[in-house]
Amino acid sequence: MDVTLHLAQDPEADALLGRSPLAALTGMLLDQQVPMEWAFKGPATIAQRLGADDLDAHEIAAYDPEAFAALLSDKPAVHRYPGSMAKRIQQLCQYLVEHYDGDAEGVWRDAATGQELLKRLTDLPGFGKQKAQIFLALLGKQLGVQPKGWREAAGAYGEPKSFRSVADITGPESLTKVRAHKQEMKAAAKAAKASGK
């Protein structure tokens, strides 16, 4: 894995996301209730605070939970909820150590079909169906991981030339389009709720 992603909108953080499967998974895990750039910059911030140039699932899984939470809480915090996210990241890393010997890329390396890959992703702690489908679309659209039926398994996020999620962000212009789509979806959901539907 060595591609250029543009999710953190920060060259160093994006370089890490493009070369490190664990950083990409961690960024996706952090991508909730904070701006996307903040979430995807998180893995680089964590690596820097650990004094490393990459994340190591074995190291994070074995890290003292209070110390790891403090590491994420230091200013600027890695997430709006650094304590709960520290716990989730450790759970993800513990799962990867237990099931993939700490190798995050093992989650998708030999997946034969999109459905198999989606199942593996939804099995990860902190990955519900939507998050798993978005990450599957990111793997397929930008990281060259395209098992048979990956677009179908990713649902609407797998559609070509759509601007629905982080899977579609390749620079500032596409970021603007994805933001606009998300705002339209929020407005539609708000309108539906207001009308009692």
Side-chain angles (χ1 to χ4, degrees), residues 56-58 93-104 106-107:
D56 180 303
H58 291 276
C93 289
Q94 288 158 356
Y95 183 90
L96 292 172
V97 167
E98 191 179 324
H99 296 272
Y100 297 98
D101 194 29
D103 176 15
V107 175

Side-chain angles (χ1 to χ4, degrees), residues 119-141:
K119 165 102 174 64
R120 290 181 184 189
L121 290 168
T122 55
D123 285 346
L124 296 174
F127 278 69
K129 184 176 181 191
Q130 184 179 28
K131 190 178 286 283
Q133 285 185 311
I134 292 170
F135 194 77
L136 175 52
L138 177 66
L139 287 170
K141 289 180 175 183

Side-chain angles (χ1 to χ4, degrees), residues 16-179:
L16 176 62
L17 295 169
R19 72 172 187 272
S20 167
L22 181 55
L25 272 177
T26 302
M28 191 73 223
L29 182 67
L30 290 167
D31 188 22
Q32 58 188 43
Q33 299 178 313
V34 294
M36 178 204 72
E37 299 93 326
W38 185 6
F40 283 96
K41 192 172 181 183
T45 304
I46 295 167
Q48 182 184 23
R49 290 177 185 176
L50 288 170
D53 61 359
D54 196 356
L55 300 179
D56 180 303
H58 291 276
E59 179 186 6
I60 293 171
Y63 216 86
D64 175 74
E66 284 184 26
F68 193 65
L71 188 113
L72 268 71
S73 299
D74 282 351
K75 301 287 183 240
V78 170
H79 194 274
R80 180 179 292 154
Y81 305 107
S84 63
M85 281 302 174
K87 189 176 178 180
R88 285 188 177 184
I89 292 168
Q90 285 196 289
Q91 288 169 340
L92 173 65
C93 289
Q94 288 158 356
Y95 183 90
L96 292 172
V97 167
E98 191 179 324
H99 296 272
Y100 297 98
D101 194 29
D103 176 15
E105 194 173 3
V107 175
W108 56 85
R109 184 182 297 114
D110 62 354
T113 67
Q115 280 303 324
E116 181 185 349
L117 179 49
L118 181 62
K119 165 102 174 64
R120 290 181 184 189
L121 290 168
T122 55
D123 285 346
L124 296 174
F127 278 69
K129 184 176 181 191
Q130 184 179 28
K131 190 178 286 283
Q133 285 185 311
I134 292 170
F135 194 77
L136 175 52
L138 177 66
L139 287 170
K141 289 180 175 183
Q142 296 196 47
L143 299 172
V145 178
Q146 301 178 337
K148 187 175 179 224
W150 72 272
R151 283 193 191 275
E152 294 77 8
Y157 301 107
E159 292 173 6
K161 297 187 176 112
S162 66
F163 294 95
R164 296 179 187 280
S165 72
V166 298
D168 305 303
I169 296 171
T170 54
E173 190 180 318
S174 52
L175 173 60
T176 303
K177 289 180 180 178
V178 169
R179 284 237 157 86

